[in-house]
Every structure is written in structure tokens, then in C-alpha cells.
Amino acid sequence: MLKTVQIISSMIGITLSIYGLMTHDYRLNFLMILFLGLFMLTLGINEFRRERKYKVGF
């Protein structure tokens, strides 16, 4: 379920960004940011479910 939301939201966001770049019509940028934000939210939920621990350091 979450994987399908992730794929659909990323495809919609990328499609809207390509549309904006090709037509120079930036009225739909808020939708692009919304869908790419939803994509990043689903990525975060997947990582939280995995309970990965990342080491911060050099």
C-alpha cells in the first residue's frame, strides 16, 4: 500500500515538474511540492518502520 502511494506521488510530482519546465507555467508548483513532499513522507515512514540506526560521525 505504502509503496504504491510512493510510486504514484513521485510520478505525479515529476510529471508536474517536467510540465512546468517545458511550458514555463509555474502555477502548479504548489501541487508539485505537495506530491514530492508526500513522496518524501512515505520514504520517511518506510525508514521508520525498518528502525534503521545510522551512525553520525566521520
Side-chain angles (χ1 to χ4, degrees), residues 10-38:
S10 67
M11 293 302 292
I12 292 173
I14 290 171
T15 303
L16 286 171
S17 65
I18 290 171
Y19 171 77
L21 285 173
M22 296 194 68
T23 62
H24 298 286
D25 182 17
Y26 302 112
R27 289 181 290 172
L28 299 176
N29 268 357
F30 71 97
L31 287 175
M32 177 194 65
I33 292 171
L34 176 75
F35 283 111
L36 292 178
L38 181 63

Side-chain angles (χ1 to χ4, degrees), residues 2-3 5-9 11 14 17 19-21 23 26-28 35-36 39 41 46-51 53 56:
L2 208 55
K3 189 73 168 175
V5 171
Q6 183 178 356
I7 292 171
I8 291 171
S9 64
M11 293 302 292
I14 290 171
S17 65
Y19 171 77
L21 285 173
T23 62
Y26 302 112
R27 289 181 290 172
L28 299 176
F35 283 111
L36 292 178
F39 168 69
L41 177 68
N46 281 338
E47 291 298 318
F48 184 71
R49 279 185 169 176
R50 287 187 196 172
E51 296 181 7
K53 304 295 183 197
V56 179

